[in-house]
Amino acid sequence: MPSKKPPPGHFNLLYFAASSSYTKKSVEAFKAPVSAADLFDLLEERYPGIKDKVLSSCAVTVNYQYVDLDDDGDDRAITIKEGDEVAIIPPVSSG
Amino acid sequence: MVLKDENIYVELTHDHLDTMTAINRVKSPKAGAVVLFAGTTRDTFDGKPVKQLEYTSYTILALAQLKRIANEMKKKHDLTAITLVHRLGVVPVGEESILIAVSAPHRQAAWRGGEEALEECKKRTEIWKLEEFEGEEGGVWRANRDGQAGVRIA
């Protein structure tokens, strides 16, 4: 699986499980930079309904670290940069 | 794909899992107890016949998570050794999808360490299970989290 390098000026977004079924993709390149707080809205525009059906129960990693998507409060959401590896992490089900 | 540390072995593999190999990895003259948990795939879910199960992972994250869990459990329960192995891809019904083997000087620590290792794996490891049912298209992405319904593929 992972992952071809994204084109210049882009980052790769990896989809797993339900997010992969919904988008019918395992990876997709998006233009950087993007605030992590805007990521779900960006996906909703491209895949109407995904926020409610899938993303509402998902976490997000940027370069293998879980990130906080809330931009309210004191912590500012991080900015996704060119070349980053971002992933949508649905509720897990190993075992 | 394997990560190792002192008396720690974690692996993700598309191959058949072997219980004796897992046991032998944790056996030690220092340990009087070895506990093995083998999770096998069931043929029904809520009474519906399961055709097959398929596991996918975010491999880099899942391996690191398994190693973190192994480290935590080894320290917390004073285990002699611990091995966590998860199978990926299609796992035919009745075969093992996960093996957890732990050893400890005495049985209490081995039981507890093995049980908690499994619970932590199920809760945290970035692995997903797709259940496909007989006579139905698509499948259901299962979620281990309490009260979280699986997501049906349209």
Side-chain angles (χ1 to χ4, degrees):
Chain A
M1 194 190 314
S3 57
K4 281 192 314 195
K5 276 177 80 176
H10 288 66
F11 67 90
N12 270 345
L13 180 62
L14 309 186
Y15 300 112
F16 293 98
S19 64
S20 171
S21 298
Y22 200 92
T23 60
K24 299 189 166 49
K25 293 191 175 89
S26 61
V27 58
E28 184 172 19
F30 285 86
K31 265 212 172 98
V34 170
S35 167
D38 298 331
L39 184 63
F40 284 5
D41 289 333
L42 190 73
L43 289 170
E44 178 68 21
E45 262 173 48
R46 201 170 293 197
Y47 304 101
I50 193 172
K51 223 171 152 177
D52 222 34
K53 288 205 182 75
V54 178
L55 300 178
S56 55
S57 61
C58 290
V60 170
T61 60
V62 176
N63 300 329
Y64 318 123
Q65 301 285 329
Y66 284 90
V67 298
D68 193 354
L69 293 180
D70 291 334
D71 58 353
D72 45 45
D74 294 335
D75 301 328
R76 255 181 302 151
I78 69 149
T79 299
I80 299 166
K81 301 181 301 299
E82 173 180 4
D84 283 351
E85 180 170 305
V86 183
I88 304 293
I89 311 287
V92 298
S93 49
S94 70
Chain B
M1 298 133 298
V2 173
L3 286 181
K4 289 187 220 178
D5 208 336
E6 205 192 338
N7 295 321
I8 286 175
Y9 179 97
V10 301
E11 180 178 8
L12 295 173
T13 176
H14 284 79
D15 294 335
H16 193 272
L17 302 185
D18 186 62
T19 51
M20 273 321 292
T21 304
I23 289 173
N24 286 331
R25 278 192 207 287
V26 299
K27 274 182 124 174
S28 157
K30 292 186 179 62
V34 171
V35 165
L36 172 79
F37 175 84
T40 56
T41 49
R42 260 193 317 253
D43 66 354
T44 52
F45 186 88
D46 273 353
K48 286 202 291 185
V50 171
K51 186 165 63 183
Q52 67 174 32
L53 293 155
E54 185 172 356
Y55 292 89
T56 61
S57 76
Y58 189 1
T59 303
I60 296 172
L61 241 59
L63 265 181
Q65 189 74 270
L66 288 177
K67 177 127 177 286
R68 207 173 302 130
I69 293 167
N71 265 310
E72 286 171 17
M73 293 303 108
K74 184 164 169 269
K75 197 175 286 178
K76 180 173 176 184
H77 297 280
D78 234 338
L79 302 175
T80 307
I82 179 167
T83 287
L84 310 173
V85 186
H86 204 292
R87 188 165 165 186
L88 301 174
V90 172
V91 179
V93 164
E95 294 190 11
E96 282 78 24
S97 54
I98 186 168
L99 295 180
I100 290 178
V102 304
S103 61
H106 303 288
R107 65 186 182 282
Q108 292 89 346
W111 282 123
R112 284 181 202 129
E115 181 178 23
E116 192 174 346
L118 174 67
E119 297 307 319
E120 290 302 309
C121 283
K122 289 186 82 106
K123 208 184 292 173
R124 289 159 57 183
T125 313
E126 287 84 358
I127 292 175
W128 296 274
K129 171 163 65 181
L130 180 66
E131 277 174 343
E132 296 185 47
F133 297 100
E134 297 288 354
E136 287 183 22
E137 286 298 304
V140 173
W141 288 106
R142 211 39 81 191
N144 287 341
R145 202 192 288 168
D146 285 346
Q148 187 89 46
V151 178
R152 168 155 288 282
I153 299 172

